[in-house]
Amino acid sequence: MALLEVEDLHAGYGALPVLQGVSFDIPEGETAVLLGLNGAGKTTTVSNLVGLYKPTKGVVRFDGEEITGKSPAELVRRGMAMVPEGRRTFPALTVLQNLKLGAWVRRKHDKAGIDASLERVFEYFPRLAERKDQLAGSMSGGEQQMLAIGRGMMADPRLLIIDEASLGLSPLLAKTVFAVVDRIKADGVTVILVEQNIGALRHADRALVMEKGQLVYQGHGDEIRDSARLRETYLGAPA
């Protein structure tokens, strides 16, 4: 069953159109990788999914219910969370304070659940547990990416969208982050990775490739990963 359904999505910024009829489904329990070069429309797509912008046309459904144009707060309550590009942690707050902010929609009614989520995040990223009292702004880029993903998980999402998880990370740190994404999926969370890094395909059940505001390829992750022709055609990667 599809947890997320997107039909004929059009969106842009003012008079500037960006998305031109994007349609796809994400089954529950899968990891999808949304790939494309800079300016392809990837961030615009997920920003419209989570309510940061309102599409000009099209329908978005989550768990069978239409959510088109609903507020980000409402979508977080329904089980969608997004880790934005650039991490956007709160530098003057500690690691623990940043994480607890991720659970703000649950703060009044689910203390036990919040504590359980915090323990799970510390299992994913032991370094965050070690540095829970450290200011976020004093952490490395890789540590801040861990913190941003952990903060997203504190909302207890059914669908977690991570925009550019590996951006600016060393290959070793990117591998660590992707390994955690595999664990998140194994724990029952559906994941969308928004990436330029072709290496993310190793962790994908399905690949969605964007170019100039349109989806130009949909298929299994291993199909495009193992095909030099597809990589060169759609991603500009050398054959």
Side-chain angles (χ1 to χ4, degrees), residues 110-170:
D110 193 17
K111 185 179 185 304
I114 291 171
D115 291 342
S117 293
L118 188 62
E119 287 303 312
R120 182 165 63 165
V121 168
F122 286 158
E123 288 177 8
Y124 292 150
F125 299 114
R127 195 175 305 181
L128 297 183
E130 295 167 3
R131 305 191 179 189
K132 67 180 188 302
D133 297 319
Q134 183 174 335
L135 295 181
S138 67
M139 301 175 77
S140 69
E143 291 166 341
Q144 289 191 43
Q145 185 62 279
M146 295 175 190
L147 179 55
I149 294 172
R151 185 180 60 192
M153 286 300 297
M154 289 297 294
D156 194 26
R158 294 178 63 193
L159 172 65
L160 181 68
I161 301 171
I162 308 175
D163 196 357
E164 301 286 7
S166 65
L167 184 65
L169 301 186
S170 68

Side-chain angles (χ1 to χ4, degrees), residues 201-219:
L201 289 170
R202 296 186 182 92
H203 307 269
D205 296 297
R206 65 183 55 222
L208 308 167
V209 182
M210 292 199 75
E211 185 178 17
K212 298 179 180 178
Q214 296 180 313
L215 278 177
V216 293
Y217 174 84
Q218 298 188 52

